[in-house]
């Protein structure tokens, strides 16, 4: 029965955009409207959520206020458009059928760690989900990894093959229930189940018929306690697990994975356990416990119950907390029982640099030589995502690897963009699509050096382009002719192609996430980026905006002897820098690098003298390599940045007095561009090494000289260009000591300093910069 509209009644039409589907938004709206006695309806459209409400003026206003201020945990509201419509009267509030608008897109939620209410269900022996590994609700659980298409509905997820039992179906249909339209809703009766099989088994050996998860998981814990390596199928792929306190198990995993020195990530059951391994600040704790549940890089404490094999030569370690009940069960049945491990190694299930493995069959085929056992489940992973890695600095979570929990959340750039596709770089690749005001950055794809990773790139691109309905007008690419991403961009059917210099992309990326538009002083320090002069850049100081850049200064060029070999063998750069600094008179005692034969040194020396097989480089990463090699901190590198990390670790161990702002000498030459000449520092370092000065002290002073040189160059650019804002980007700024010293001194001198937080400072962030630069070029061409 319709009521007569009262004189004071108001009716509003509300369009909400952002991540508002699959996150419990409609029940939230329904319950809010009910509690305020409003009538009307809500429905999902392909562009978001549409609402009409009617009632008293005060109630309507309070509805809109609460909608904006207290949306469900996983919702991310991008905009709320409210308009007045004619009062109609009517009773009750309803949830209507979804409407699809052609061409429109809605945002997909990233996967979310288990919510508090679900942890309670899971840990309560009287609850029907007690110990159930796949417990979730509208506030948590899998999303991006299981969604095959939009609109988001169970039929378009990998949960489609599971039919809900009556109890689950009742929750799903009840707007007042936390599991109303929770697409992955499941329980032990009707949902996914586990299977434990030894290495060598095949899919035919798996039937997933045993629904007693706790019995299976207890066997897994017994295997881990016995030092076995277990491949565990998780949310975005397989992880390889072993007891982090067991030296033999960790060493064996390292050997089988052929991962010589790269650190392994850890998982602990709870924050109390993490505190026994690492120093955890309040910011770190917030990051660990956030719904994204990333790996957080933390300083290790002395005497931690963790094998030295976890992160050799490193004083930090990456730790995460369980983000699904399945992960929790690897430690104990429930919060009531003690954890059986302080920490488990939880490293990506893949062979060296290949993409993380997702399907049961693929895992058994590819990881048979690594894992002793496989803990499988029968919910398919549609989209592969690695664990994300963050570090906190100055009160903010800063992303080092952006994947699970972050992707595909869009980044609001605060300006309307053309639709473009940026292919990113070669190492730590991600790509970027733009749509409206948003950048859609792909999950971490990895180093584009094998066929599997390239396939991963193509598969992810096709899916994100489809889901976000992007038709790029142009492609952006790195200038390096040898990058696979560049070759792929150039082969693309999209005609408009825009090449972007690597370090310009770094700075534009930092500008974009900080919503800066006008020119800045850009300091981009990293390992490798192709320069406009054909040389390898990486120690760059520029004046830049989205439209272009002027190279104002760079690190003095030195020869890079043997190209890629110089990256794997830092001692080559040590020799190159010594030769550059001393000329022919290198002190003979300096020509020794641990584990390098005289013959090898002679060979590289000849290469350097004759200038064959060399290109010139201003790379800051290679400068770190050179100094690390001079200090005997490793002549070989098995992963990118290893020597730099060793140098940072050494500097961090220096006592406070040695960390003071004392530094080595350097000079700044030339004008257009200026050249930062560190030869005086190299000579001083060589003498200090010969004189037996402690390595920690020299490492600390080296960080100081670099920081003071950066500040000095920024001062000069401020003088010439009248700019006060400095953007810091590039992988070198993952070095906290360098970052802290540089920022402190820049601020002391009145600069405004901007850094990365939402996207990585390393090459994982350059696709965003490429995209905004391409957008600007398209705009200017019109
Ligand atoms: Zn939940
Ligand atoms: Zn059920």
């Amino acid at each position: 029965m319709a009521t007569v509209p009262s004189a004071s009644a108001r009716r509003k039409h509300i369009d909400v955009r952002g991540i508002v589907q699959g996150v419990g938004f409609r029940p939230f709206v329904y319950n809010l409207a009910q509690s305020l006695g409003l009538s009307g309806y809500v429905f999902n459209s392909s562009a978001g959520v549409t609402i009409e409400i009617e009632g008293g003026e005060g109630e309507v206003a309070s509805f809109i206020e609460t909608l904006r201020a207290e949306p469900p945990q996983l919702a991310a509201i991008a905009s709320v458009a409210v308009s007045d419509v004619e009062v109609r009267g009517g009773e009750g509030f309803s949830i209507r059928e979804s409407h699809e608008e052609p061409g429109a897109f809605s945002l997909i939620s990233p996967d979310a760690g288990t919510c508090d209410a679900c942890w309670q269900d899971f840990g309560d022996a009287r609850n029907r989900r007690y110990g159930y590994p796949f417990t979730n609700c509208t506030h948590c659980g899998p999303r991006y990894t299981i969604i095959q298409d939009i609109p988001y509905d169970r039929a378009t997820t990998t949960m489609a093959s599971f039919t809900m039992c009556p109890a689950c179906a009742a929750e799903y249909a009840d707007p007042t229930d936390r599991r109303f339209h929770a697409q992955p809703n499941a329980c032990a009766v009707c949902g996914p189940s586990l299977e434990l099989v030894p290495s060598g088994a095949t899919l035919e050996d798996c039937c997933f018929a045993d629904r007693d998860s706790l019995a299976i998981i207890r066997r897994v814990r017994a295997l881990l306690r016995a030092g076995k390596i277990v491949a565990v199928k998780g949310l975005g792929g397989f992880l390889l697990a072993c007891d982090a306190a067991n030296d033999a198990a960790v060493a064996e995993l390292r050997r089988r994975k052929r991962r010589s020195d790269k650190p392994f990530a850890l998982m602990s059951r709870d924050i109390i356990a993490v505190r026994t391994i690492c120093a955890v600040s309040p910011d770190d704790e917030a990051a660990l416990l956030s719904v994204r549940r990333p790996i957080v890089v933390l300083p290790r404490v002395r005497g931690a119950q963790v094998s030295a094999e976890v992160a050799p030569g490193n004083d930090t370690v990456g730790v995460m907390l369980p983000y699904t009940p399945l992960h929790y069960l690897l430690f104990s049945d429930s919060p009531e029982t003690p954890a059986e491990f302080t920490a488990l190694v939880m490293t990506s299930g893949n062979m060296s640099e290949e993409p993380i493995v997702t399907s049961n069959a693929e895992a058994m085929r590819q990881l048979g030589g690594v894992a002793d056992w496989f803990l499988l489940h029968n919910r398919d992973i549609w989209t592969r995502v690695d664990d994300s890695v963050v570090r906190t600095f100055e009160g903010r979570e800063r992303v080092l690897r952006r994947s699970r929990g972050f992707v595909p959340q869009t980044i609001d750039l605060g300006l309307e963009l053309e639709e473009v596709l940026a292919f990113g770089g070669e190492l730590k690749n991600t790509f970027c699509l733009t749509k409206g005001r948003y950048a859609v950055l792909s999950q971490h794809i990895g180093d584009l050096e094998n066929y599997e990773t390239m396939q991963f790139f193509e598969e992810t691109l096709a899916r994100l382009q489809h889901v976000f309905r992007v038709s790029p007008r142009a492609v952006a690419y790195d200038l390096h002719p040898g990058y696979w991403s560049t070759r792929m961009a150039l082969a693309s059917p999209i005609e408009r192609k825009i090449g972007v210099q690597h370090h310009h992309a770094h700075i534009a990326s930092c500008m974009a996430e900080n919503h800066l538009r006008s020119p800045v002083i850009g300091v981009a320090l990293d390992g490798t980026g192709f320069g406009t002069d054909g040389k390898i850049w990486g120690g760059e100081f520029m004046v830049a905006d989205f439209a272009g850049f002027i190279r104002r200064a760079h690190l003095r060029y030195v020869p890079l002897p043997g190209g890629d070999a110089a990256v794997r063998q830092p001692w080559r750069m040590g020799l190159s820098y010594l030769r550059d600094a001393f000329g022919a008179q290198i002190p003979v005692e300096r020509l020794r690098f641990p584990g390098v034969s005289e013959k090898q040194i002679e060979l590289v020396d000849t290469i350097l003298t004759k200038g064959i097989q060399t290109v010139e480089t201003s790379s800051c990463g290679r400068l770190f390599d050179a100094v690390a090699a001079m200090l005997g901190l490793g002549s070989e590198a098995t992963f990118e940045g290893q020597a730099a990390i060793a140098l940072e670790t050494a500097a961090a161990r220096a006592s406070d007095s040695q960390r003071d702002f004392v530094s080595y000498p350097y000079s700044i030459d030339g004008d257009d561009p200026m050249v930062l000449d560190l030869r005086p520092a190299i000579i001083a370092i060589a003498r200090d090494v010969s004189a037996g000065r402690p390595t920690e002290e020299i490492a600390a002073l080296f960080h100081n000289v670099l920081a003071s040189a950066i500040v000095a160059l920024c001062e000069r650019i401020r003088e010439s260009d009248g700019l006060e804002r400095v953007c810091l980007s590039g992988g070198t700024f993952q070095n906290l000591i360098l970052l802290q010293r540089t920022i402190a001194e820049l601020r002391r001198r009145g600069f405004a300093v901007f850094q990365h937080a939402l996207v990585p400072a390393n090459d994982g962030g350059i696709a965003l910069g490429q995209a905004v630069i391409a957008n600007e070029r398209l705009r200017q061409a019109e």
Side-chain angles (χ1 to χ4, degrees):
M1 188 190 82
T3 51
V4 179
S6 87
S8 68
R10 295 280 182 279
R11 191 177 181 91
K12 303 270 186 193
H13 180 97
I14 306 168
D15 281 315
V16 190
R17 297 195 171 215
I19 298 177
V20 288
Q21 293 186 11
V23 294
F25 206 83
R26 289 173 304 159
F28 155 72
V29 167
Y30 174 90
N31 291 315
L32 180 61
Q34 293 282 11
S35 71
L36 292 165
L38 300 170
S39 61
Y41 57 83
V42 56
F43 64 83
N44 276 346
S45 67
S46 43
V49 163
T50 298
I51 307 165
E52 282 207 16
I53 43 161
E54 183 173 325
E57 193 170 358
E59 287 76 22
V60 165
S62 129
F63 176 92
I64 294 167
E65 201 183 301
T66 313
L67 183 81
R68 288 183 204 269
E70 296 161 34
Q73 187 179 316
L74 295 184
I77 295 180
S79 66
V80 180
V82 184
S83 54
D84 285 307
V85 287
E86 203 171 315
V87 173
R88 288 195 206 146
E91 264 186 358
F93 193 89
S94 62
I95 296 177
R96 293 194 176 171
E97 285 283 298
S98 300
H99 283 249
E100 226 204 313
E101 296 157 34
F105 74 105
S106 62
L107 303 180
I108 293 177
S109 166
D111 302 277
T114 307
C115 72
D116 290 346
C118 282
W119 282 128
Q120 291 214 328
D121 290 351
F122 163 81
D124 177 0
R126 292 155 306 175
N127 192 285
R128 68 189 193 91
R129 286 193 177 81
Y130 176 66
Y132 182 56
F134 304 94
T135 302
N136 67 78
C137 73
T138 48
H139 304 307
C140 72
R143 295 291 187 277
Y144 181 50
T145 52
I146 62 163
I147 295 175
Q148 295 162 314
D149 204 352
I150 53 166
Y152 175 46
D153 201 3
R154 190 167 173 112
T156 54
T157 71
T158 60
M159 282 299 290
S161 57
F162 297 93
T163 307
M164 277 183 272
C165 69
C168 286
E171 293 164 342
Y172 185 87
D174 178 1
T176 63
D177 194 281
R178 205 172 85 241
R179 296 190 170 90
F180 174 70
H181 280 222
Q183 306 304 350
N185 191 24
C187 73
V189 174
C190 64
S193 49
L194 301 174
E195 181 88 49
L196 178 65
V197 292
S199 173
T202 63
L203 262 192
E204 282 85 72
D205 304 316
C206 308
C207 56
F208 302 96
D210 185 352
R211 296 203 160 260
D212 188 352
S213 305
L214 288 179
I216 296 173
I217 214 84
R218 284 175 197 143
R219 289 174 57 207
V220 174
R221 293 201 298 263
L223 290 166
L224 291 168
R225 274 201 314 277
K228 300 292 181 203
I229 296 165
V230 182
V232 179
K233 185 178 182 181
L235 204 51
F238 274 80
L239 296 179
L240 291 158
C242 73
D243 180 358
N246 184 328
D247 284 325
V250 182
E252 184 61 16
L253 174 56
R254 202 166 270 293
R255 193 187 65 76
R256 292 188 195 170
K257 241 194 123 179
R258 292 184 222 126
R259 180 160 169 147
S260 47
D261 295 314
K262 213 167 171 179
F264 285 137
L266 301 180
M267 183 180 279
S268 290
R269 189 183 71 166
D270 47 45
I271 208 93
I272 297 161
V274 179
R275 287 189 193 287
T276 68
I277 311 170
C278 303
V280 185
S281 73
D283 293 332
D284 293 328
E285 183 169 330
L288 283 164
L289 290 167
S290 75
V291 292
R292 295 174 295 279
R293 291 280 161 125
I295 295 169
V296 183
V297 179
L298 300 166
R300 238 195 295 196
V301 297
R302 285 192 193 284
Q305 297 243 319
V306 168
S307 165
E309 296 283 336
V310 165
N314 212 317
D315 288 346
T316 62
V317 66
V319 189
M320 60 185 149
L321 293 174
Y323 45 93
T324 74
L326 177 59
H327 294 109
Y328 193 98
L329 288 167
L330 297 172
F331 296 87
S332 68
D333 279 4
S334 79
E336 308 301 319
T337 48
E340 292 181 31
F341 310 95
T342 305
L344 292 170
V345 165
M346 287 291 238
T347 185
S348 303
N350 56 5
M351 285 308 290
S352 55
E353 299 305 323
E354 288 174 16
I356 189 167
V357 167
T358 50
S359 83
N360 292 337
E362 196 185 14
M364 288 188 275
R365 214 171 41 238
Q366 292 186 20
L367 302 176
V370 185
D372 300 306
W373 288 82
F374 289 85
L375 177 60
L376 310 173
H377 63 69
N378 55 351
R379 185 181 70 203
D380 288 341
I381 298 168
W382 178 249
T383 298
R384 62 180 100 229
V385 287
D386 290 88
D387 293 316
S388 293
V389 184
V390 308
R391 197 179 46 200
T392 64
F393 179 67
E394 296 195 327
R396 272 192 83 178
E397 184 182 281
R398 299 180 190 273
V399 176
L400 305 179
R401 181 167 80 194
R402 193 173 179 275
S403 276
R404 176 183 53 76
F406 290 90
V407 180
Q409 175 131 36
T410 54
I411 296 171
D412 185 352
L413 298 176
L415 78 164
E416 280 296 315
L417 294 158
E418 300 287 347
E419 293 187 8
V420 300
L421 160 60
F423 276 78
E426 182 84 340
L427 299 177
K428 301 181 169 71
N429 177 274
T430 63
F431 61 83
C432 181
L433 293 162
T434 51
K435 177 97 184 176
R437 295 158 53 97
Y438 304 111
V440 182
L441 209 62
S442 75
Q443 66 267 41
H444 168 78
I445 304 287
D447 299 348
L448 298 177
E449 56 187 26
N450 54 58
Y451 176 72
E452 289 75 15
T453 312
M454 294 172 197
Q455 287 230 300
F456 178 24
F457 181 107
E458 289 183 24
E459 143 198 309
T460 310
L461 175 58
R463 288 175 188 177
L464 283 175
Q465 215 175 317
H466 169 73
V467 163
F468 283 93
R469 315 278 194 251
V470 182
S471 330
R473 280 190 55 204
V475 295
Y477 63 95
D478 191 277
L479 296 180
H480 199 305
Y483 282 2
W484 180 84
S485 56
T486 301
R487 293 201 294 262
M488 169 131 171
L490 294 176
S492 155
I494 298 162
E495 265 177 41
R496 188 70 198 269
K497 296 179 176 40
I498 297 168
V500 178
Q501 201 280 323
H502 190 92
H503 302 97
H504 184 207
H506 268 302
I507 298 304
S509 169
C510 184
M511 289 176 66
E513 73 158 284
N514 286 294
H515 288 197
L516 302 176
R517 304 276 176 272
S518 53
V520 298
I521 300 171
V523 183
L525 305 182
D526 69 357
T528 301
F530 199 77
T532 51
D533 57 1
K535 296 178 180 178
I536 301 299
W537 294 7
E540 309 306 313
F541 299 78
M542 56 179 68
V543 167
D545 60 11
F546 293 161
F549 73 98
I550 304 164
R551 195 186 194 198
R552 281 274 182 257
H554 61 85
L555 262 173
R556 179 183 155 82
Y557 282 128
V558 294
L560 182 71
D564 279 351
V567 179
R568 288 190 303 273
Q569 301 178 329
W571 65 269
R572 287 174 177 247
M573 284 313 297
L575 190 57
S576 182
Y577 262 94
L578 284 168
R579 168 77 55 214
D580 186 48
F582 286 97
Q585 281 80 47
I586 304 181
V588 105
E589 73 277 10
R590 284 309 320 137
L591 287 173
R592 275 197 297 268
F593 299 100
V596 184
S597 72
E598 263 176 48
K599 208 161 177 190
Q600 283 173 290
I601 291 176
E602 252 172 57
L603 179 74
V604 172
D605 204 41
T606 311
I607 289 175
L608 286 167
T609 319
K610 297 193 174 151
I612 45 172
Q613 286 180 304
T614 61
V615 285
E616 295 203 298
T617 184
S618 56
S619 161
C620 192
R622 300 294 82 78
L623 167 65
F624 271 87
D625 287 353
V627 175
M630 285 171 68
L631 296 183
L633 294 171
S635 303
E636 302 275 330
T638 58
F639 65 91
E640 203 215 11
Q642 187 177 1
I645 290 170
L647 202 54
E648 181 186 2
T649 305
R653 288 174 181 172
S655 73
D656 285 343
S657 63
Q658 291 148 357
R659 278 194 245 154
D660 286 346
F661 219 77
V662 193
S663 94
Y664 287 122
Y666 64 91
S667 72
I668 294 171
D669 308 326
D671 187 24
D672 188 23
M674 294 177 278
V675 174
L676 171 57
D677 184 353
L678 288 171
R679 283 179 298 179
I682 296 292
I683 290 169
I685 290 170
R687 289 201 179 120
D688 275 354
V689 173
S690 303
R693 191 170 190 174
T695 300
E696 290 77 18
E697 211 173 304
I698 302 174
L701 292 183
F702 167 70
H703 281 77
N704 289 352
V705 69
L706 197 52
S708 27
I710 292 168
V711 173
L713 283 165
C714 288
E715 289 266 28
R716 296 224 187 164
I717 300 169
R718 172 160 68 181
E719 258 168 52
S720 58
D721 295 76
L723 300 171
E724 299 267 326
R725 297 188 298 187
V726 180
C727 283
L728 304 177
S729 189
T732 301
F733 283 111
Q734 287 174 189
N735 181 319
L736 271 195
I737 295 184
L738 180 69
L739 185 66
Q740 273 163 341
R741 288 176 197 190
T742 304
I743 289 180
E745 194 55 20
L746 283 171
R747 289 200 184 123
R748 207 174 65 77
R749 297 181 189 219
F751 289 96
V753 185
F754 297 88
Q755 322 158 53
H756 287 281
L758 304 177
V759 304
N762 60 48
D763 283 4
I766 67 169
L768 175 61
Q770 292 173 348
V772 290
I773 290 168
N775 173 70
E776 183 64 22
R777 300 234 178 110
L778 281 176
R779 223 176 51 82
Q780 290 189 346
E782 270 157 17

